[in-house]
Amino acid sequence: MSLSEERFSPLRQIGTYVLVSILSAVLTLSALWAFPNPLLSRLQAALPSIEAPAAVSSADQSDAAIAPQPISPKAEAIKTITRSFVASAVQRVGPAVVRIDTERTITANPGPVFSDPFFRDFFGDGSFYGQPKEYRQRGEGSGFVIDSNGIILTNAHVVSGADTVMVTLKDGRQLKGKVRGIDEPSDLAVVKVDGKNLPVAPLGRSTDLEVGDWAIALGNPLGLDNTVTLGIISTLNRSSAQIGIPDKRLDFIQTDAAINPGNSGGPLVNDRGEVIGINTAIRADAQGIGFAIPIDKAKAIKDVLAKGEKVQHPYVGVRMLSLTPELARQSNSDPNSPMTVPEIKGVLVVQVIPNSPAAKAGIRRGDVVTEVEGQAVTTAEQLQSAVERSKINQPLKFTLQRGEQTQELTVKPGELQSAAASE
């Protein structure tokens, strides 16, 4: 290599470096122009100081620390999407759920021992032991507002016989309640408080329910206010006789949503936050089974109760049993059976109440009812429903089997509460 070439070699290398740098800059700028977001994100991650000023005062730092950070629409959408349907349903109906505290006076009579003259003389006629005792019994339950002016729906057994009723709203307000109406056969009651613009629970339709639908129970179980439990509809049209309360005129919604003492009168809600039932009963011998009154039943009588009027329940005055040919053959094969039963499908009359509409119409023990108003009945629940749909003192035609004969009798249903009062 000549001296001149050695002299210009460093200059050539410097020129090459400059050219490469210029080409790199051009390529980088072209890439930023074509794909700005990914590259900028990487640059920001690699060089976080690009966004921040070189120096900030302490006052600026303080303001930056306390300034609220705006929430992007995307974050709000994610928050909305991730909220469960249970939370949305509870938010809709929860403000209308109330706690109901009651007090009633209970009178306890002394036992038969203290009625004996010997013990009365021993303790003295005015002794403490010989006098009836009175004490105050406290109870608690739940309910929900169905009218913004203070109409509350609950169970009859929550407020029946109560001397005082106190209603606590979810916001903590306590209002004195007055029992407007009670219907024992359906276990429903209406309580009125003086309130304006109260939150109202939206009412759904229990006839739209299917087994497996979601069920959310709200109330104040065991004194634990504002409690929510979740389950499903286990079955529909569970008769009151099947769950051990034959004195009621109800077909219950069965659910596995936890219902405990104190839940009574609270709402059972669907996944849209609509009331589909009123939590009512549990079975002491079962776990994970609770029962609610269908809301359609409450809709039919709530206005009557709110007016302080009595709900009429037709009755005929028989105790009955669903009969199948197999059960009839089993009974007839028993030498100790008190009667011979027709081996057919229908409703067996096992007792007729004296002076009842059934007794006056000529219905007898051992009769098997097969039709009511021309409609076949094969279960006691079907016969009970047919009577419940009838009208008081309006003729109701029964077709029944008596021994080998088929007979038709006309029964005029009476009023259930009047009959109970006369017994």
Side-chain angles (χ1 to χ4, degrees), residues 32-74:
L32 287 173
W33 179 80
F35 308 102
N37 290 336
L39 290 177
L40 281 175
S41 299
R42 291 183 182 180
L43 284 173
Q44 289 172 354
L47 302 170
S49 61
I50 289 175
E51 292 186 356
V56 227
S57 67
S58 60
D60 292 338
Q61 291 175 351
S62 175
D63 291 343
I66 65 172
Q69 298 299 317
I71 299 175
S72 68
K74 183 184 288 186

Side-chain angles (χ1 to χ4, degrees), residues 319-323 327 346-350 378-380:
R319 291 191 171 92
M320 50 199 172
L321 179 70
S322 300
L323 182 70
L327 286 175
V347 180
L348 175 65
V349 177
V350 296
T378 58
T379 66

Side-chain angles (χ1 to χ4, degrees), residues 153-158 181-190 240 245-252 265 277-281 291-302 304-305 309-313 388 415-417:
L153 195 59
T154 186
N155 282 145
H157 73 261
V158 171
I182 290 179
D183 184 53
E184 298 286 358
S186 65
D187 197 19
L188 290 170
V190 165
S240 54
I245 44 176
D247 59 322
K248 303 302 178 187
R249 293 287 191 92
L250 289 168
D251 291 326
F252 288 102
I278 300 98
N279 303 320
T280 276
F291 301 94
I293 303 169
I295 192 61
D296 289 354
K297 178 72 174 180
K299 284 180 181 179
I301 66 173
K302 63 181 178 61
V304 176
L305 294 176
E309 300 174 356
K310 289 186 177 181
V311 179
Q312 293 187 334
H313 294 277
E388 187 74 14
E415 211 288 307
L416 179 63
Q417 292 183 351

